[in-house]
Amino acid sequence: MSHKKVAILLSGGGSNMVALLDSMTGDHPARACLVMSNDAEAGGLKKAAVRGITTAAVDHRPFKGDRATFEAELIKPLMAAEPDIVCLAGFMRVLTGDFVTQFQGRMLNIHPSLLPKYKGLHTHARALEAGDAHHGCTVHEVTAALDDGPILGQATVDVLPEDTPDLLAARVLKKEHLLYPAVLRRFAQGDRTPILLS
């Protein structure tokens, strides 16, 4: 069986990356070929290396807002790994349309809200401020527009009276760790039917 090759981009501790790596075993149709970060000190890189996955880092800070030049460096190890699928897993840099277009139809992202609600940051606080009864996370195909693109899966949590942004975030994160692997498995099989978890 030839596996789809998956590159994972992250910026922090990589809990979603770990969930993806742990799922890509046995009869899973994909395997990780690269874990990459915009921060050489990102905890997720160390977790990937321990699992024997190739890692790379391109620090965005020396580029000081020159996204095109940063992305020109970012794409080098990515292209060398020849991934079939690219998964953004807490990658906290906005990618330009030029970059995204090169992976059109095969780049996924997980976002901590029920898109199209609450694109961007501070999603949990915004859901609480709005008085929402439900909140959750979304896996979607990446397009040039921020947190846009076809929805491939959503998982929902109830918003509780005692919730703070941190409490809500922790419950949503548990759902992320279930949803992202489920969507990736289906996507790697060529199936874009959305998955809904509650």
Side-chain angles (χ1 to χ4, degrees):
M1 174 181 175
S2 67
H3 295 102
K4 297 282 188 186
K5 295 166 68 177
V6 178
I8 303 171
L9 274 62
L10 54 82
S11 293
S15 69
N16 267 307
M17 177 270 301
V18 168
L20 291 174
L21 291 185
D22 287 351
S23 75
M24 283 187 269
T25 59
D27 67 350
H28 196 289
R31 293 290 186 271
C33 64
L34 176 70
V35 172
M36 193 172 171
S37 182
N38 61 303
D39 181 355
E41 299 303 310
L45 291 178
K46 299 177 184 70
K47 293 171 187 170
V50 165
R51 286 166 168 79
I53 309 298
T54 301
T55 62
V58 177
D59 190 339
H60 67 277
R61 286 167 291 201
F63 299 96
K64 295 193 169 113
D66 182 354
R67 279 200 283 172
T69 307
F70 165 63
E71 289 180 353
E73 291 303 310
L74 187 70
I75 206 162
K76 288 176 184 175
L78 206 48
M79 288 305 205
E82 299 182 332
D84 300 297
I85 301 167
V86 177
C87 289
L88 306 181
F91 186 67
M92 302 306 289
R93 307 306 299 170
V94 176
L95 295 167
T96 66
D98 286 344
F99 186 93
V100 169
T101 299
Q102 297 178 73
F103 302 99
Q104 195 72 53
R106 52 196 187 100
M107 181 182 276
L108 309 181
N109 181 48
I110 188 152
H111 182 73
S113 79
L114 296 173
L115 291 173
K117 277 188 168 184
Y118 314 127
K119 297 176 181 183
L121 301 174
H122 311 300
T123 58
H124 311 300
R126 288 156 68 193
L128 290 173
E129 285 163 13
D132 291 352
H134 305 288
H135 186 47
C137 54
T138 303
V139 176
H140 63 96
E141 282 187 49
V142 178
T143 61
L146 180 68
D147 297 328
D148 204 48
I151 289 173
L152 298 170
Q154 291 191 315
T156 306
V157 300
D158 292 331
V159 178
L160 306 177
E162 65 272 19
D163 268 334
T164 63
D166 286 346
L167 287 172
L168 189 52
R171 286 209 315 287
V172 170
L173 189 61
K174 287 181 180 177
K175 294 284 191 178
E176 291 180 30
H177 295 163
L178 298 173
L179 180 66
Y180 211 171
V183 171
L184 176 61
R185 175 184 277 267
R186 185 176 280 191
F187 188 81
Q189 292 167 331
D191 186 350
R192 285 173 161 78
T193 311
I195 291 174
L196 300 177
L197 302 179
S198 57

